Amino acid sequence: MFTSLIDTPLKVTLLTSMVLLGCGPNNSQESESLVKESPKTEILSLLDFENEQYLELMKFSHVQSQLVAKHQDMKQESASQKGVTQGNQALAITLSAKDNYKSSFSFEPTSSWDWQALGEFKVALDITNPADLSAQIYLTVTDGKGQTHNRSVIVPKQSSETYTVELAGGDLGLETGIRSNPKAENDKTVPVTWRWGVKQLDLSQIKSIKISMTSLLHDRTLIIDDLRLIKGAEYSLDNLTNIVDEYGQNANVDFAIKVHSDEELIEFKNKEEAAMSGGLLADRSRFGGWKSGPKLDATGFFRTEKYQGKWSLVDPDGYLFFSHGLANVRMSNTSTVTGVDFDENLVGKRDVNDLTPEDSKGLNTMQGEVLDTQYVSSSLRRNMFTWLPDYNHDLANHYGYRREVHTGAIEKGETFSFYRANLERKYGERGPESFLNDWRQSTLDRMNDWGFTSFGNWIDPTFYDQQQVPYFANGWVIGNFKTVSSGNDYWSALPDPFDPEFAVRARVTVEAIAEQVKNSPWCVGVFIDNEKSWGNTGSISGQYGIVINTLSLADKYSPTKTKFTQVLKDKYSSISAFNQAWNTHFEVWQDVSNGIVVTEHTDAMVEDYSTLLYTYANQYFAVVKSELKRVLPNHLYMGVRFADWGMTPEVVQASADNVDVVSYNYYKEGLQKDYWAFLKDVDMPSIIGEFHIGATDSGLFNPGLVHAEDQADRARMYEEYMQSVIQNPYLVGAHWFQYTDSPITGRAYDGENYNVGFVSVTDTPYKEMVDAAKRFNGSLYQTKFGPSKN
């Protein structure tokens, strides 16, 4: 017998950072033709907002709310006559998202929902968007253990659909090496895309279902109806079979720039080249600075300066410079796992002295006798492709290998780059990999023609000597030094910067970078490392995980712990003074040196945590800065590119105290003003190292971290994001991630399969994105700094 949402008392809770406003007859007329019949499915339980008692159970603060009469205001027939939809009323909600970083509302039972006996099932709900803007929502289900299951989806403008979240069965237990799998052929709903958290919750104690929005530039109105549980189904592997064509595109979907033949690919190339000038915009200096603006001191290298109250970069010739361009312009992340492997004894191991993670090193091609040991290690992966070349084929040079995979169906194996193969088809091959030379020049011409001022991070070093578009160099400090943990180390554990080996590896890394850069004035600066799990605000354990976990270690095993113990001994005059502040009962300092486990946190402890976290982060940045400036004194230290899920005030301050430009990766609709108010206190030149927006109308299964409904919507959102950046007086640039779409079957390292490129897998530009870039970049400097001075 199924547990009913109706039988279980329910409350709708408004979280403190949103305002819910009414949507009554007077302002819902535009919704008249939107709400439509839900797909017919077997309903396990239902909440239809028909009964007024649900309004009485709502607990709101500063809220006006109203049920919308569907049969009157939306001209819908009695839903009970049309299928699944129940009743004549729906819940209309306007979220004041523009003025609140996070806006959300949740459905919570007075006691937990127990859904463990339901078998395969989904949460379903009907959502209408009556506005002229699409709306990305996050949907979070939380269980009694505090575990969360997080998904996101775009609700197109002027639309009404049924959205579903698989909580049991389906593809939840299936690891395919793709961030988002193809939709089941018989699924008539819109699946909400998996993002992060725990896929398989404790279904015996579900505590809430929350809908939220984060960092939006506009308020949004949604109409919610028929929150229900419906029967799920087993996910068939047929959905993953023969999904990729010979060009690396979706084999089952047609779209505007889809390539069907080599002749069509070359035709697209010729048309683009005929329309492209490749020259700099008229108001640009040779380095992409604002030639029509003021002339400041020229040092021969890029630098920073606060000009008329706004931080700015200054190009080598003394012109104001705003860095806007595309990141990840390289072949390294264009390959996908084929499901084939070889004898590991013949593959060999990585060199322990490697300075770069394998996924950033290119193809890593296997050759010779190792190819004779080929075997299928994953039929699931192998069956995704309608075509892959034989090893004696002209395009077999685009095979590669990964010795390690972060997330995927297999832990290692062969890869293939359809993007590289398409470049060879497009340009031909007059000599060994001559197509890459053609690609490089085409890319440089595109950057200038599209109005970008620089590249972003992760640029193929072969661009360094081109002297046509400014670039940023990058490196990773990797090696056999000791590490510490934040307790949530997504990509990897964090380095122990007090270990002398860390400084040794940092020196080796920056010396290699300096050898590539050759003191070039075209290099703006250097990024070192990326998106480390420094911690996040919201809880003491989350913000100070590095400190709390490191304190549990013995000094003799951890140089950072040794430093922490010394800092505490320097602050407190005696162990008794320490005990009083920390509410502990240690007899001697050696007890602290041996490692301490903390589960409760006094105010004094939190204050010390903050000091220790800053001490740790400051050492990291100070070591890297010292080594970098020793060999590249003329180039800017661009920081570590904080992820918004992996930064704390202490770590940001430590960065600001050492770097030339603080860098942040920020995947949202735009920069919400309250969230970014901290930049005023930091008062440093800052840069957005990564952002993107994607859709699924070009055949990819996952839009990316920020959703749009189609390519036109992507273009609109790109321009609005950049407007929010350029209006901020502390930001000196923003870089779009990335140049190309991800492989549709997922990039080899972690399965990202996003539509986030300015060009597709066939190297064909998305016209909507190019046009948007030209519009924005054409007035970039006037918008940022005002009318020209000439």
Side-chain angles (χ1 to χ4, degrees), residues 435-652:
F435 59 88
L436 289 179
N437 295 327
D438 295 325
W439 168 77
R440 274 188 287 274
Q441 189 55 55
S442 173
T443 298
L444 291 165
D445 291 342
R446 283 170 171 174
M447 296 306 104
N448 287 329
D449 188 71
W450 298 350
F452 290 115
T453 63
S454 72
F455 286 117
N457 192 30
W458 289 331
I459 303 305
D460 192 307
T462 56
F463 283 100
Y464 290 6
D465 295 329
Q466 300 298 317
Q467 298 188 10
Q468 296 182 54
V469 177
Y471 67 90
F472 295 81
N474 72 90
W476 304 80
V477 184
I478 60 177
N480 194 30
F481 43 76
K482 295 183 183 298
T483 60
V484 300
S485 174
S486 68
N488 184 27
D489 305 329
Y490 180 73
W491 293 114
S492 64
L494 291 105
D496 186 330
F498 291 98
D499 182 350
E501 182 64 17
F502 176 76
V504 171
R505 296 302 295 174
R507 172 166 293 198
V508 172
T509 295
V510 299
E511 286 178 347
I513 295 171
E515 186 176 342
Q516 292 178 324
V517 170
K518 302 173 185 175
N519 204 35
S520 170
W522 289 87
C523 177
V524 181
V526 182
F527 293 102
I528 301 290
D529 290 332
N530 181 63
E531 291 187 343
K532 290 189 170 298
S533 301
W534 302 99
N536 54 78
T537 57
S539 70
I540 292 174
S541 61
Q543 184 165 346
Y544 300 111
I546 292 173
V547 174
I548 293 169
N549 287 303
T550 303
L551 285 172
S552 69
L553 304 175
D555 288 7
K556 63 181 179 180
Y557 298 124
S558 171
T560 291
K561 171 59 189 324
T562 302
K563 180 64 176 180
F564 283 1
T565 301
Q566 188 59 53
V567 170
L568 294 172
K569 289 175 71 174
D570 290 344
K571 175 176 180 179
Y572 294 101
S573 59
S574 64
I575 191 66
S576 60
F578 174 76
N579 283 333
Q580 183 176 0
W582 281 51
N583 194 27
T584 52
H585 304 88
F586 299 117
E587 295 184 0
V588 293
W589 280 110
Q590 185 59 44
D591 294 335
V592 177
S593 295
N594 292 339
I596 60 177
V597 177
V598 294
T599 55
E600 297 182 358
H601 315 285
T602 67
D603 291 344
M605 293 169 72
V606 173
E607 181 180 330
D608 290 342
Y609 293 167
S610 181
T611 299
L612 296 174
L613 181 58
Y614 175 85
T615 300
Y616 165 81
N618 186 67
Q619 178 72 3
Y620 167 88
F621 288 109
V623 169
V624 174
K625 174 186 177 181
S626 175
E627 295 300 335
L628 183 64
K629 292 299 184 179
R630 181 179 60 83
V631 295
L632 286 170
N634 299 314
H635 293 83
L636 300 173
Y637 178 19
M638 302 296 298
V640 74
R641 293 155 46 94
F642 293 116
D644 63 333
W645 48 261
M647 66 181 195
T648 74
E650 295 87 356
V651 179
V652 170

Side-chain angles (χ1 to χ4, degrees), residues 202-395:
D202 181 354
L203 299 177
S204 70
Q205 46 175 338
I206 298 299
K207 291 294 187 181
S208 67
I209 300 172
K210 181 174 74 172
I211 294 175
S212 62
M213 296 180 175
T214 304
S215 194
L216 300 190
L217 300 178
H218 306 277
D219 294 345
R220 297 296 206 279
T221 294
L222 299 175
I223 300 170
I224 311 294
D225 197 23
D226 292 356
L227 176 64
R228 59 196 183 275
L229 306 183
I230 63 174
K231 273 286 191 182
E234 181 181 354
Y235 187 80
S236 172
L237 294 186
D238 290 344
N239 297 310
L240 292 161
T241 302
N242 293 332
I243 58 176
V244 186
D245 70 12
E246 63 185 299
Y247 297 97
Q249 306 166 118
N250 191 318
N252 304 310
V253 174
D254 211 0
F255 50 92
I257 60 172
K258 187 170 185 177
V259 169
H260 303 87
S261 67
D262 289 4
E263 292 75 17
E264 188 174 25
L265 179 63
I266 294 171
E267 181 184 350
F268 284 172
K269 174 185 77 74
N270 292 339
K271 286 183 178 179
E272 181 193 3
E273 291 177 350
M276 185 167 58
S277 68
L280 288 168
L281 298 184
D283 69 343
R284 302 290 171 85
S285 73
R286 61 177 178 143
F287 290 103
W290 191 24
K291 187 172 64 176
S292 301
K295 185 79 182 298
L296 307 179
D297 291 341
T299 64
F301 293 91
F302 284 91
R303 63 183 181 86
T304 62
E305 180 175 327
K306 184 174 276 190
Y307 173 76
Q308 295 185 348
K310 299 178 180 179
W311 278 109
S312 178
L313 294 167
V314 179
D315 80 10
D317 291 336
Y319 295 106
L320 293 171
F321 181 86
F322 183 88
S323 176
H324 183 37
L326 307 183
N328 212 28
V329 184
R330 58 181 184 172
M331 297 296 136
S332 300
N333 298 125
T334 64
S335 59
T336 191
V337 171
T338 66
V340 165
D341 207 347
F342 308 99
D343 184 338
E344 62 182 352
N345 295 315
L346 296 178
V347 168
K349 299 184 181 301
R350 290 191 65 199
D351 187 335
V352 295
N353 294 315
D354 273 354
L355 299 177
T356 306
E358 192 177 46
D359 72 300
S360 293
K361 292 188 66 176
L363 286 179
N364 310 304
T365 302
M366 296 291 106
Q367 296 177 333
E369 63 177 341
V370 66
L371 298 180
D372 296 332
T373 68
Q374 173 199 44
Y375 67 94
V376 175
S377 59
S378 172
S379 58
L380 183 152
R381 291 291 307 181
R382 190 65 173 175
N383 292 338
M384 293 179 182
F385 306 97
T386 62
W387 175 89
L388 284 169
D390 295 332
Y391 291 148
N392 59 358
H393 192 280
D394 288 344
L395 298 178

Side-chain angles (χ1 to χ4, degrees), residues 9-38:
L10 182 100
K11 64 179 179 180
V12 181
T13 301
L14 175 73
L15 300 191
T16 55
S17 63
M18 73 156 281
V19 176
L20 181 66
L21 302 176
C23 180
N26 292 332
N27 57 358
S28 63
Q29 294 302 314
E30 58 187 335
S31 307
E32 289 181 354
S33 62
L34 293 180
V35 176
K36 65 183 182 182
E37 179 182 358
S38 303

Side-chain angles (χ1 to χ4, degrees), residues 112-127:
S112 299
W113 284 309
D114 183 355
W115 296 338
Q116 61 182 330
L118 297 185
E120 295 180 331
F121 75 94
K122 305 176 184 180
V123 173
L125 71 163
D126 300 333
I127 304 178

